[in-house]
Amino acid sequence: MGTNTRTGRKGTGPGAITPDGCAVELYTRLPAAAEPDIIAAAVPAGARVLELGCGVGRMTHPLVAHGFTVTAVDESRDMLDHVRGARTVHSSIELLDLSEQFDTVVLASFLVNTGDADERQALLRTCARHLAPGGRVLLQREGQGWHTNLPSERVDPAGFTVRMVSSDPVGDGVNSIYAEYEFPDATWTQTFLSRPLTDDQLDAALAQEGLAVDAYLTDDRTWVCARRAA
């Protein structure tokens, strides 16, 4: 594991581990699922997309295949080495300032649920800073009650098992989440801090950065479309 790990976040298993505890090889194995199609359905054809926290390109590659022009940002060079077909930028999201604006800004992977409230506002501030007039921010957040009634286990059709092992309160409404990803030939773990967000809390966080919810894109309200507040 590198020395520049973020507070409360760590990972174990084969290969490189990013500062927020993500295992690079693990993410090369995880499928993109429905996320790229959800994004594509909400974004005009040919749009310029800024993807924040792109990782190894699980969503980047399908978005490029959909015909979008994607700028993919990640703080891990090891992750970015796997991205193809998109412009890549090595940067933390919080400090990103490209002096450009985009039709769509994507903040996925539940990053908005970070346990650090200041960090969350910095993420949303970056979204707003790079948003073109009339554009949209697409956010992926955790579903309500996701980290209750643990442990839980899900066997993916691709042949691996995901276990949400524990959720331990660490104060101020923040939980430390411990997860395991078991493949036939390797196992990875990840620990991260998560703060559940109600609709009202999300509204308040967005409002601080001049944004407002425009629509929920999925029935479980985990995908949110926000625009500049009137």
Side-chain angles (χ1 to χ4, degrees):
M1 188 187 307
T3 57
N4 296 321
T5 54
R6 289 176 176 260
T7 301
R9 283 162 273 195
K10 62 182 180 180
T12 68
I17 305 292
T18 67
D20 61 354
C22 295
V24 176
E25 183 180 342
L26 167 63
Y27 278 83
T28 66
R29 300 187 183 201
L30 296 180
E35 282 88 347
D37 291 336
I38 293 170
I39 295 170
V43 177
R48 296 180 67 235
V49 176
L50 177 63
E51 184 188 1
L52 301 175
C54 66
V56 297
R58 286 189 307 141
M59 290 193 292
T60 315
H61 300 146
L63 291 176
V64 170
H66 275 290
F68 301 117
T69 301
V70 181
T71 296
V73 178
D74 205 275
E75 68 179 351
S76 167
R77 288 193 185 276
D78 291 311
M79 289 285 197
L80 287 175
D81 284 345
H82 293 271
V83 177
R84 300 289 182 268
R87 169 194 179 193
T88 59
V89 178
H90 178 227
S91 173
S92 68
I93 298 171
E94 301 96 305
L95 299 179
L96 183 71
D97 190 349
L98 297 176
S99 299
E100 300 175 48
Q101 294 184 321
F102 296 80
D103 305 310
T104 300
V105 180
V106 177
L107 184 70
S109 301
F110 318 112
L111 293 176
V112 74
N113 288 97
T114 176
D116 186 325
D118 291 336
E119 181 180 313
R120 179 175 60 252
Q121 293 310 132
L123 299 176
L124 294 175
R125 196 170 304 124
T126 295
C127 292
R129 182 164 56 243
H130 292 89
L131 187 62
R136 61 196 55 74
V137 177
L138 303 186
L139 303 168
Q140 185 183 28
R141 64 169 182 165
E142 294 174 356
Q144 296 299 310
W146 270 17
H147 299 314
T148 59
N149 300 317
L150 300 185
S152 64
E153 180 175 294
R154 175 178 65 84
V155 178
D156 192 273
F160 62 91
T161 300
V162 181
R163 297 186 185 91
M164 303 305 296
V165 179
S166 61
S167 174
D168 298 320
V170 295
D172 192 31
V174 178
N175 300 312
S176 177
I177 311 299
Y178 177 71
E180 295 178 346
Y181 300 82
E182 182 179 336
F183 286 74
D185 61 337
T187 297
W188 287 270
T189 74
Q190 186 173 4
T191 301
F192 58 94
L193 299 178
S194 170
R195 183 188 298 271
L197 293 174
T198 65
D199 289 353
D200 288 344
Q201 289 170 330
L202 178 61
D203 288 343
L206 289 168
Q208 288 187 52
E209 312 308 330
L211 301 170
V213 172
D214 180 65
Y216 290 96
L217 304 179
T218 53
D219 291 341
D220 62 5
R221 301 168 80 87
T222 58
W223 275 95
V224 183
C225 176
R227 296 183 183 267
R228 293 194 188 278

